Structures are given as C-alpha cells and as structure tokens.
Amino acid sequence: MRIAAATAARVRDAAESLGYRPNAVALALRSNSTQTIAMISDLIATNEYSGQMVAGALETAHAQAKLLIVAETHGDPDIENAIVQDLLDRRVDGFIYATEVTRITKLPELLTGHHTVMLNCIDEDNQTPSVVPDERAAGVLALAALGTDTKDIAVVGTGHPNRYALQQRLAGIRAGLPKSTLLRNIDCDWWPESAFAAVDNLLRSSAPSTKRAHRVTSPRAFICMNDQVAFGTYQALHEHGLTPGRDVSVVSFDGSLLAGWLRPGLTSVSTPHRELGQVAVSMLTNNWETDLAAQHRHSQSAEPILISPALTTRTSVSVHTE
Amino acid sequence: MRIAAATAARVRDAAESLGYRPNAVALALRSNSTQTIAMISDLIATNEYSGQMVAGALETAHAQAKLLIVAETHGDPDIENAIVQDLLDRRVDGFIYATEVTRITKLPELLTGHHTVMLNCIDEDNQTPSVVPDERAAGVLALAALGTDTKDIAVVGTGHPNRYALQQRLAGIRAGLPKSTLLRNIDCDWWPESAFAAVDNLLRSSAPSTKRAHRVTSPRAFICMNDQVAFGTYQALHEHGLTPGRDVSVVSFDGSLLAGWLRPGLTSVSTPHRELGQVAVSMLTNNWETDLAAQHRHSQSAEPILISPALTTRTSVSVHTE
DNA sequence: CTGAAAGCGCTAACAA
DNA sequence: TTGTTAGCGCTTTCAG
C-alpha cells in the first residue's frame, strides 16, 4: 500500500511545525549512547576555583552537544561508589574524575574500563589520561614576577595542604634562583588567619625594636602560596607599617578576584581552572572518537597534560634600583 | 514448561552476585520517569553564593535518590531555550529555575506546564512556587546588629544592581529606625573598588581638615550591602585612620568567608544560600507527589517561601556607652 | 527506493 | 502463584 508523496510530506511538515521532538531516552536506549558526561569531584561549591573548572567543563560539553552532570562526593569513598554506580546505571558515556586540590590519587575501581579523564589530579598508576596545572611553570613565573627583588625571599604557606602544588612550585622557584638568595619557608596553612599569624610572628622577631642578640632581618620579598595567604600577609605587613609595592614585594598564586581587590593590587600567577575544565572535556570526547586499540597501546605511558599558568601583574612588587 | 525452583534461584543469585544492575535508561523509557531534576541558572560559577545553592540542591536531590543536572544559561534567552528544550527531550522530571541575583522575573514559556520551582527569584505572574531569602528580615537583623549605634547610619551600595534585595533590606532597616536617625545612601556598585571610592569620597568631604563651610560630620555606622562592599569600606576607613569596632561600626550582608578574614572580623547577616537550594528541591519533589489538581487549585496564589537569614556576630560593631 | 519489522532492557498486564 | 507477552519511542535492517 503506497502513500502519496505529497501526503507523506504534509505529515512530516505538520509534525515538525507542531513541534515534534525526538525522545532522547528512547534514542539512548536504542543507540546505547546518552550523549552525557559525568564530572565527579570531591568538593565543588567550596571555592571559586572549582566553580571555574565546572564552568569550563560545562561550556565545552555544551559546545559539543553533550550534557554534563556534576556530582559531589565530599571525599567519602562510599558516597563516591554509590554515585559512580548510579551514573553507570544511567549509561553515562564518559567520566571526568576531578579533585579540588591538585594531587596524586587512585581512580575508583568501578571506573576502570570506562572512558575517563582525570582533572586536577594524576593517576597513581599512570593508567588514566589527566590534566593538571603546570605548577612548576607557575613557580618560575612567580619568581620572575619578583624581578630583581630576590635577595631575601620568604615562601609563605609551606604547611601541610596541597603537597603536590607546593613541591612543584618550590622546584620552579629554586630553578631560577641566584646562589646568594636567602630562601625561607614560612609554615602555615593556606588561609588568611594562619598566614597572618605566621608572618606577624616573623616580622615581630625581626623588628628593629627587638633587642635580642639573634635578631634577624626582615625578608624583602614574599611569595604566597595562594591569594588568601597573601591577604593575611598584607594584613601582617600593614600591622608592622610595611607597604607592599613600596617597602616589600608580594607575589602570589591563584589569580582570584581577591587579588584585584587588595590595595595595592596583588601580582598573582593565575591557575587556569576554567581551561582545565575545558581541556578535560575535550580530551574525553576526543578519546572515545579515537580508535580504542590505539589508545590502549599508549595507555601505559599516559603523561599528564600540563596547562600553563598566566601572570597578572599589578603593583605589589617594589621596583627599586640598586 | 516449568523450571525447577532451585534452578531459578540459582540463576537469580548468580546474576546478583555477578553484579547485575538494571539499566536506568530502559527503566526510564518504560516508566516514563528519569528520576532526574534539572537546575537552570543564569550564572553558577561566578561567586561562592550560587555554588552554595547548587551544593544544597545537590545534597537534597541525592538524599531523595534523584539525579540533579546543573545547567548555565549566561542569561541568554536563546541558550536558555536550547537548554530547556534539550532537558525536555531528555525527559527530566522537574525543573528548578534559579537566578544568581534575587529578582522578579518571567518563567520561560517552554517551562509552563512542567513541574517547576523558582529559586532565588519570584514569578512575575505569581504562577510558580518560589523560594527566596527573606531580605526584609535581613534588613531588620542588620539594624539590630548595630545595637545602640544608630544615630547616623550610612547605607553603602545603593547603586543599581539587585533592586529587589536593596529595597527589601532598606524597608527592614527603616522599620526599626529611631525617628532621630540620619540615614544616608551611598550610591555605588556592589564591588570593593566602587565602595572604596564612594566611602573615601564621603570621608574626605567630612574630614576635620576640610575648611569648607558646608562641612558634614562623618557617619558613625555603616551598613554595607554585601561583604565585598564592606571590604572596600574597611579599606577607605583605614585610609582615614578609622577602625571598625572602635571608631565606627560596620555591618554587612552575605556571611561569606571574606567576612571572617577581615580584621577586625566583620559582623554579617548571612543569606542562607545552601538552605535555599535544599528547600527548592524539597518543594519540587513534594509538589509532584501531591495531588496535581489540588496544586492547580492554589496555583493562582503561590506566595514565595521566605528563608530566614542568620546573624554572625564578630567585632566590627563599636560598643560605646552614651 | 519506500515501507515494515525487529529489538534495545525493562515492567505492567495478562494467561496459565 | 508463576511465566509469558506486549510495548515504551526510536533506528537499523530487511523485504517488497
């Protein structure tokens, strides 16, 4: 039984102009592909940085007509397993396994064998492709931002958190350091209050009024491990009548909004969180379009992709001729 | 043809211990329910507040065994339509329509007829249930936080953004104000730099050194429209040798981390963003379990749900007896 | 080249 | 009770 071509067309047009839309669920069942990516992270809402990663991932996923699902595990392995299982049940096409703090970690077992990219973390077993900020390059940039002010540098924030970033940055800083430099570690957490206390303490012990025998001179330059640490450092400097950009130099990592709010404006090496998110999604979707065999062949030597930092120069570095 | 019960059990056990998991896609197609909620917002990654809303929503959705999808429209109606259409195609069960800044707005046409709750915004036509912070109560709290220091108050941040919150808070402040109070509006944006300039300007014109005929006295208390404005205000005060908590009082809205980092600590009325997200999801899921007819009967008079603010008291208010 | 049918994985309704 | 079947909306395959 034939149907007249005109009639068929009329039906089609009617359906279309009536606003027919295909059912994505049926489509997914049939094609075995949901056009969906899941991003699993320990913490997402805590600070503006992970927000940037999410935004970047969202953006790129959307550009590729994929839906991105964001999930938060609070760092709890049980929650993590439950979430991964649920997403697996929902037949997500691929995973982005992200951490708030850059670190080396192990991929959840459930995820092995599924398309996965690690974001802001590196696979312990080097089995999974990953994207991380180039913290060593960030260290190099931070030192460079100090210009000639490198006689006596304090690194603020050598406390416990974020081992990986800390070590990489220190390596970058040391790489370009003159032999004569005095490099001091100021141990504190990566929070304003902790940094304030530590720097205040340092300046107190080196204040001119102190009559102790073992008096120390105060550092000329401060490299702060993030903008919040720099914030605390500013407060301590202020307390001691020292102005960044005039009496001392301050440089920091993060490139957050806060850096621009401080007075004087804080020169900061910005970690490209947004770009991290974008690249992770790109890698993931590229991966599963690539020949899987070829991918597997190289899977033993997956070197992390490093994303370059950028420098935002403001006026917190003192330019004194000597 | 019968199968021995023992065999059947053996099959079932095998399947289970082999890790059988039902396919959620097939289930969704069959049951016409995806167990999924979508949260559509104009901006999510910009500040820590919307992050809190997302976190709260994520949390409650997870507790109800629902998946929450987060989408960002950048405030562009075309992107918004495309995203809503996609989510509709994917047969999402319900929507949370959120805005970064509290305001009165219109629900996208595509969303009418679908289970929807508005978050941090109010429906122009009062057709859709919504959850917003109780900004009027926040204003009352802010004034109360000032204690007896209410002779001469400056409200910082009466510039253009966030009309709704501004008006509600002002109403709350005015409600409890002694007749004799001088209430001034300091027009500026809700950013540190803008606030700094405005307050600095004010203090300059009222500085003792100024010999102008029309000299003004400097305000004793400052109510800042958010913590970033308070940050800029602190900077300006500092520049003029004024210390919050001693010479003047400062109170603010938001209850962000920044408030705790300032020295002295900033007393701030916190907007319960996390709770907003939680309540929105609860309302949504309750709604579609409720009888739909009953819901429709009341749909003409959907009063917004108000979430109460809380006060975090620190030391930025001066306690002077008079 | 156009139209019918099978089947993705599941469950609600049905038949034995 | 137990097991079988129809069908959710779509596309790919196959027959006409």
Side-chain angles (χ1 to χ4, degrees):
Chain A
M1 60 179 84
R2 298 295 285 279
I3 297 176
T7 310
R10 207 142 54 83
V11 170
R12 242 184 290 277
D13 288 358
E16 204 161 313
S17 71
L18 220 59
Y20 164 78
R21 302 247 85 214
N23 180 328
V25 177
L27 219 145
L29 179 59
R30 180 67 241 248
S31 65
N32 206 25
S33 151
T34 51
Q35 304 293 352
T36 301
I37 299 168
M39 175 163 166
I40 299 170
S41 180
D42 46 0
L43 287 172
I44 62 142
T46 302
N47 56 36
E48 71 184 73
Y49 318 123
S50 23
Q52 293 292 331
M53 292 202 304
V54 173
L58 230 37
E59 188 184 315
T60 304
H62 184 73
Q64 307 195 2
K66 306 241 182 298
L67 180 68
L68 184 85
I69 290 172
V70 182
E72 195 176 14
T73 66
H74 299 275
D76 178 334
D78 293 335
I79 298 181
E80 180 175 277
N81 274 332
I83 287 178
V84 171
Q85 190 55 264
D86 181 46
L87 293 167
L88 245 22
D89 292 349
R90 287 170 185 269
R91 296 300 187 271
V92 161
D93 293 333
F95 292 87
I96 289 175
Y97 186 79
T99 53
E100 189 191 33
V101 161
T102 314
R103 79 167 95 102
I104 296 171
T105 187
K106 211 176 157 79
L107 196 70
E109 279 197 29
L110 279 171
L111 246 33
T112 55
H114 295 275
H115 292 139
T116 307
V117 167
M118 294 176 84
L119 174 54
N120 203 28
C121 52
I122 295 176
D123 189 9
E124 208 174 77
D125 315 319
N126 255 46
Q127 300 273 341
T128 314
S130 64
V131 207
V132 291
D134 190 342
E135 297 290 5
R136 196 175 191 285
V140 172
L141 264 186
L143 182 69
L146 244 28
T148 58
D149 205 351
T150 56
K151 307 280 170 255
D152 185 347
I153 302 176
V155 177
V156 189
T158 53
H160 50 85
N162 208 341
R163 226 171 230 303
Y164 175 86
L166 181 64
Q167 289 173 354
Q168 294 289 315
R169 289 173 185 174
L170 280 175
I173 293 167
R174 287 217 187 82
L177 223 49
K179 203 60 179 245
S180 59
T181 296
L182 172 61
L183 191 70
R184 339 183 185 193
N185 288 344
I186 314 293
D187 278 356
C188 63
D189 280 348
W190 290 16
W191 293 104
E193 202 172 346
S194 178
F196 174 84
V199 174
D200 179 58
N201 192 46
L202 171 75
L203 294 175
R204 212 178 286 281
S205 71
S206 57
S209 61
T210 309
K211 299 271 160 131
R212 297 199 214 157
H214 54 287
R215 235 191 55 209
V216 200
T217 59
S218 139
R220 302 265 321 133
F222 296 82
I223 299 182
C224 300
M225 292 309 283
N226 71 17
D227 290 344
Q228 296 165 12
V229 166
F231 183 76
T233 301
Y234 263 54
Q235 293 175 319
L237 288 169
H238 213 116
E239 205 95 326
H240 290 265
L242 262 23
T243 302
R246 198 189 61 191
D247 311 315
V248 293
S249 294
V250 181
V251 157
S252 165
F253 297 93
D254 270 4
S256 65
L257 291 173
L258 184 61
W261 297 343
L262 289 169
R263 317 191 84 239
L266 171 64
T267 291
S268 187
V269 178
S270 46
T271 316
H273 291 279
R274 183 175 207 95
E275 193 183 347
L276 282 172
Q278 295 170 333
V279 171
V281 171
S282 299
M283 285 174 63
L284 185 60
T285 52
N286 284 345
N287 264 5
W288 81 59
E289 276 156 23
T290 306
D291 179 294
L292 271 183
Q295 197 182 318
H296 195 74
R297 219 175 298 134
H298 298 290
S299 71
Q300 297 295 57
S301 58
E303 279 301 311
I305 305 289
L306 301 178
I307 305 295
S308 301
L311 183 67
T312 306
T313 304
R314 295 201 180 83
T315 52
S316 59
V317 172
S318 76
V319 280
H320 59 112
T321 49
E322 192 178 347
Chain B
M1 60 181 86
R2 297 296 287 274
I3 298 175
T7 311
R10 206 144 53 82
V11 170
R12 243 184 291 276
D13 288 358
E16 204 161 314
S17 71
L18 220 59
Y20 164 79
R21 303 247 86 215
N23 180 328
V25 177
L27 218 143
L29 179 61
R30 180 67 241 248
S31 66
N32 205 25
S33 150
T34 51
Q35 304 292 350
T36 302
I37 298 168
M39 174 163 166
I40 300 170
S41 179
D42 46 0
L43 287 172
I44 62 142
T46 302
N47 56 36
E48 72 185 71
Y49 318 122
S50 23
Q52 293 293 332
M53 291 202 305
V54 173
L58 230 38
E59 189 184 317
T60 303
H62 184 74
Q64 309 197 0
K66 306 242 183 295
L67 181 67
L68 184 84
I69 291 173
V70 182
E72 197 177 11
T73 65
H74 299 275
D76 178 334
D78 292 336
I79 298 181
E80 181 176 276
N81 274 332
I83 286 178
V84 171
Q85 191 54 265
D86 181 47
L87 292 166
L88 245 20
D89 292 348
R90 289 169 183 271
R91 297 299 186 270
V92 162
D93 293 333
F95 292 87
I96 289 174
Y97 186 79
T99 53
E100 189 192 33
V101 162
T102 315
R103 78 166 95 100
I104 297 171
T105 187
K106 212 177 155 78
L107 196 69
E109 279 198 28
L110 279 171
L111 246 35
T112 56
H114 296 273
H115 291 139
T116 307
V117 167
M118 293 176 85
L119 173 55
N120 202 26
C121 51
I122 295 175
D123 189 9
E124 209 173 75
D125 315 319
N126 254 48
Q127 299 275 341
T128 315
S130 65
V131 206
V132 292
D134 191 342
E135 298 290 6
R136 194 175 192 286
V140 172
L141 264 186
L143 182 68
L146 244 27
T148 59
D149 205 351
T150 54
K151 306 279 172 255
D152 184 349
I153 301 176
V155 177
V156 189
T158 51
H160 51 85
N162 209 342
R163 225 172 231 303
Y164 176 85
L166 180 64
Q167 289 173 355
Q168 294 289 314
R169 288 174 186 173
L170 281 175
I173 293 167
R174 287 218 187 83
L177 223 49
K179 203 63 180 245
S180 60
T181 296
L182 172 62
L183 190 71
R184 338 183 184 193
N185 288 344
I186 314 292
D187 278 356
C188 62
D189 279 348
W190 290 15
W191 292 105
E193 203 174 344
S194 178
F196 174 83
V199 175
D200 180 57
N201 192 47
L202 171 73
L203 295 175
R204 211 179 286 281
S205 71
S206 57
S209 61
T210 308
K211 301 267 160 130
R212 297 200 214 155
H214 54 285
R215 236 189 57 211
V216 199
T217 59
S218 137
R220 301 266 321 133
F222 295 81
I223 299 182
C224 300
M225 291 310 283
N226 73 15
D227 289 344
Q228 296 165 11
V229 165
F231 183 79
T233 301
Y234 264 54
Q235 292 175 321
L237 289 170
H238 213 117
E239 204 95 330
H240 290 266
L242 262 24
T243 300
R246 199 189 59 192
D247 312 314
V248 293
S249 295
V250 181
V251 158
S252 164
F253 296 93
D254 270 3
S256 66
L257 292 173
L258 184 61
W261 298 343
L262 288 169
R263 318 192 83 241
L266 171 64
T267 291
S268 187
V269 177
S270 45
T271 317
H273 292 280
R274 184 178 206 95
E275 194 184 347
L276 281 172
Q278 295 171 333
V279 171
V281 171
S282 299
M283 285 176 62
L284 185 61
T285 53
N286 283 346
N287 265 5
W288 82 59
E289 276 157 21
T290 305
D291 179 294
L292 270 183
Q295 195 181 321
H296 194 75
R297 220 175 298 133
H298 298 291
S299 70
Q300 297 293 55
S301 58
E303 279 302 308
I305 304 289
L306 301 178
I307 306 295
S308 300
L311 182 67
T312 307
T313 304
R314 296 201 180 84
T315 53
S316 58
V317 172
S318 75
V319 280
H320 59 113
T321 49
E322 192 178 345

